[in-house]
């Protein structure tokens, strides 16, 4: 049988979730402790409003709903230290210190503070602390995701910048003003075309052409027949090299006309000028118009009242008098009689022949203040278009280049095939036999010489077909291509700027998450500290109630508090 000493040392284990019921069942706190606790908290709300908060900074960290027994006791101790002489004739504290002394006594009466401690511990362990932990974990996860997204954006921004720089470098641009730099870069085409013509006119390419022509004549031409004409376009380039002038194509001029359409709209007004404003500088009589048919001449016979008419051959009249003389004599006669000929639409001679009717007709107008500058610019563009086309290099034309490239590729394929045949050891003996009976012009080329020819031909092809040359030609030939190329480059640049703007947004969001995290951590730490303090208070108070027997509050509360210590 256990002695009283052993029984006194046996611990009392109380589950934290059943602590309130356990205290009520053992008559340690009254059954209406919740009602009495509510009245105490109502008194605290009233007293907190008149609390002199300037006494201690701790008062500024409190709010009425969060004040319990521990906080009330601490407030009382602070007020007690600051008001040593504020006591009445009965020795009790007066003022705020006396009010908070009454609060502490109300908590301690019938151990109401134990019920409050049990309630707060259950609320913190079951709800408050898990919520705070979950929020902290959520924010930490968002920060990790934010860092990953920021790394992706930085990588994509660097990739976009590299692509933009690579595209600009490929086109020889600095990237400051893409459109102007592209147009300026297109002016380097003459140097590219000059290099191409230099390669085409080189001795190596000439020998390759002769080699291919002699081979075709020897291998594919029958006796007594003319040999095939090969590499016609390359020979034409060598004999009649194209000019190296480059200028904008027709698309640019068409777009310019479209841009000037607002000014050119005045042309419709010009064409609608009434006839009274037009001075054709023509005065002829309708009878003098040569319609290239027989004319009619009135006779003296008036038998039918209308007068007889006879058809006269116009050629006979033209033999005797010219139309110019007739017109002049008629005008002189009318002027002598004092008659001024009246003009009508039928009196106008339309026998006008000009090289450019649009330009000459409009130039002869007398414009009544109708925006002459814009009209002149439109006409100048229209009249200069043929001159621009004539001054453009033929190498800017796709069809012309394709013909040259066809010959170059044909010659390259031949040289490749010959090089493979000469280097193939399996057919080497056969090649020697063929070479022995072939003409001397076909025997004098070794594989090294053919390789040099092939390199020059490939170089000529590359000069015309590389990406930069193609883009520069298209820039001059097509305004739409220029717009699309500029838009593509600017999209890469804007994509980088957009990603960098996204980094700023991420930085703002990170700051917000860090602020939220910094606000949740103190709340969690404060809830853990208060729970730990209340647990210790309950265990010490209950131990004193049971003659010093150790009291342990067990359950999830210990796991939660121990995990917070390890963290």
């Amino acid at each position: 049988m256990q002695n009283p000493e052993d029984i006194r040392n046996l611990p009392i284990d109380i589950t934290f979730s059943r602590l309130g019921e356990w205290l009520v069942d053992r008559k340690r706190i009254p059954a209406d402790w919740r009602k009495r606790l509510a009245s105490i908290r109502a008194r605290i709300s009233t007293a907190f409003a008149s609390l002199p908060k300037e006494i201690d900074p701790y008062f500024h960290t409190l709010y009425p709903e969060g004040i319990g027994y521990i906080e009330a006791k601490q407030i009382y101790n602070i007020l007690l230290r600051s008001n040593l002489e504020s006591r009445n004739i009965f020795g009790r504290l007066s003022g705020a210190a006396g009010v908070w002394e009454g609060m502490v006594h109300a908590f301690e009466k019938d151990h109401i503070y134990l019920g409050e401690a049990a309630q707060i511990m259950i609320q913190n362990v079951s709800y408050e602390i898990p919520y705070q932990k979950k929020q902290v974990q959520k924010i930490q996860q968002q920060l990790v995701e934010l860092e990953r997204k920021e790394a992706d954006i930085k990588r994509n921004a660097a990739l976009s910048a590299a692509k933009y720089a690579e595209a600009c470098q490929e086109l020889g641009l600095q990237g400051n003003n893409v459109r102007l730099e592209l147009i300026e870069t297109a002016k380097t085409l003459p140097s590219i075309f000059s290099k191409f013509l230099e390669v085409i006119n080189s001795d190596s390419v000439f020998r390759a052409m002769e080699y291919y022509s002699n081979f075709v004549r020897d291998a594919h031409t029958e006796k007594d027949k003319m040999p095939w004409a090969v590499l016609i376009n390359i020979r034409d380039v060598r004999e009649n090299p194209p000019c190296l002038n480059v200028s904008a194509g027709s698309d640019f001029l068409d777009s310019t006309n479209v841009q000037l359409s607002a000014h050119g709209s005045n042309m419709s007004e010009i064409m609608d000028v009434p006839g009274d404003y037009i001075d054709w500088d023509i005065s002829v009589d309708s009878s003098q118009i040569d319609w290239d048919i027989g004319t009619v001449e009135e006779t003296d016979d008036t038998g039918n009242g209308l007068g007889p008419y006879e058809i006269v051959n116009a050629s006979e009249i033209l033999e005797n008098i010219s139309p110019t003389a007739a017109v002049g004599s008629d005008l002189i006669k009318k002027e002598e009689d004092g008659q001024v000929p009246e003009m009508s639409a039928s009196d106008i001679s339309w026998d006008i022949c000009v090289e450019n009717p649009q330009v000459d007709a409009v130039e002869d107008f007398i414009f009544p203040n109708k925006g002459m500058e814009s009209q002149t610019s439109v006409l100048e563009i229209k009249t200069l278009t043929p001159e621009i086309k004539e001054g453009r290099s033929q190498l800017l034309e796709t069809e012309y280049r394709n013909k040259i490239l066809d010959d170059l590729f044909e010659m390259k394929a031949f040289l490749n095939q010959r090089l493979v045949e000469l280097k193939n050891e399996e057919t080497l003996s056969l090649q020697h036999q063929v070479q022995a009976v072939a003409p001397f012009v076909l025997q004098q080329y070794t594989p090294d010489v053919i390789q040099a020819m092939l390199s020059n031909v490939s170089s000529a092809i590359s000069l015309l077909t590389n990406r930069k040359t193609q883009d520069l030609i298209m820039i001059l030939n097509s305004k739409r291509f220029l717009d699309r190329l500029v838009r593509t480059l600017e999209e890469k640049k804007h994509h980088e700027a957009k990603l960098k703007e996204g980094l700023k947004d991420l930085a703002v969001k990170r700051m917000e998450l860090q602020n939220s995290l910094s606000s949740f951590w103190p709340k969690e730490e404060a809830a853990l500290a208060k729970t730990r303090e209340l647990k210790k208070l309950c265990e010490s108070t209950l131990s004193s109630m049971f003659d010093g027997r150790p009291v342990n509050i067990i359950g999830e509360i210990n796991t939660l508090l121990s995990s917070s210590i390890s963290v």
Side-chain angles (χ1 to χ4, degrees), residues 19 122 135 141 173 180 195 203 239 252-253 292 296 303 307 330 334 341 344 358 402 421 435 470 525 534 549:
L19 180 59
I122 293 173
Q135 289 298 112
Q141 184 178 359
L173 309 178
L180 292 180
K195 292 179 182 178
D203 294 337
E239 295 172 0
F252 276 92
L253 297 176
D292 199 16
V296 294
D330 184 67
K334 288 187 177 183
S344 63
Q358 285 185 341
N402 288 341
E421 292 173 353
Q435 289 286 98
Q470 294 292 327
E525 292 299 324
L534 291 174
R549 289 182 63 180

Side-chain angles (χ1 to χ4, degrees), residues 159-371:
L159 184 62
S160 297
K163 288 183 178 179
Y164 178 71
E166 182 181 356
C168 290
Q169 184 178 4
E170 183 179 354
L171 294 171
L173 309 178
Q174 295 181 355
N176 298 326
N177 191 327
V178 176
R179 180 177 293 275
L180 292 180
E181 290 177 9
L182 282 173
I183 296 175
E184 289 296 324
T185 306
K187 296 180 180 179
T188 62
L189 274 175
S191 63
I192 298 175
F193 291 160
S194 177
K195 292 179 182 178
F196 170 74
L197 294 178
E198 184 179 348
V199 175
I200 289 294
N201 292 321
S202 64
D203 294 337
S204 180
V205 174
F206 177 75
R207 289 198 302 269
M209 294 171 59
E210 292 300 319
Y211 184 33
Y212 179 53
S213 301
N214 292 331
F215 182 86
V216 171
R217 181 172 59 251
D218 183 70
H220 300 285
T221 304
E222 298 179 0
K223 294 181 179 181
D224 302 331
K225 288 187 177 181
M226 293 293 294
W228 292 353
V230 294
L231 308 178
I232 300 175
N233 299 297
I234 298 179
R235 295 183 188 278
D236 180 65
V237 171
R238 288 174 60 90
E239 295 172 0
N240 304 305
C243 67
L244 301 180
N245 296 331
V246 295
S247 58
S250 58
D251 285 0
F252 276 92
L253 297 176
D254 294 341
S255 63
T256 306
N257 290 336
V258 171
Q259 292 174 358
L260 293 175
S261 60
H263 302 288
S265 61
N266 293 330
M267 294 296 293
S268 60
E269 299 179 6
I270 295 170
M271 300 309 295
D272 291 337
V273 175
D276 297 339
Y277 289 108
I278 303 174
D279 182 10
W280 296 101
D281 196 18
I282 300 172
S283 57
V284 295
D285 188 55
S286 60
S287 61
Q288 302 300 326
I289 299 176
D290 181 9
W291 299 103
D292 199 16
I293 59 174
T295 59
V296 294
E297 183 178 352
E298 184 177 359
T299 62
D300 293 336
D301 189 6
T302 57
N304 56 1
L306 299 175
Y309 297 88
E310 68 173 342
I311 299 176
V312 180
N313 193 349
S315 59
E316 297 177 357
I317 298 176
L318 292 176
E319 290 177 357
N320 298 324
I321 184 172
S322 62
T324 305
V327 172
S329 61
D330 184 67
L331 289 175
I332 293 171
K333 182 178 180 182
K334 288 187 177 183
E335 288 176 357
E336 291 175 353
D337 296 339
Q339 297 178 2
V340 179
E342 296 181 359
M343 300 299 297
S344 63
S346 61
D347 296 331
I348 300 174
S349 175
W350 299 100
D351 189 12
I352 301 172
C353 179
V354 295
E355 293 180 0
N356 193 338
Q358 285 185 341
V359 177
D360 293 347
V362 175
E363 287 178 349
D364 290 337
F365 283 179
I366 299 177
F367 297 98
N369 301 327
K370 290 293 183 177

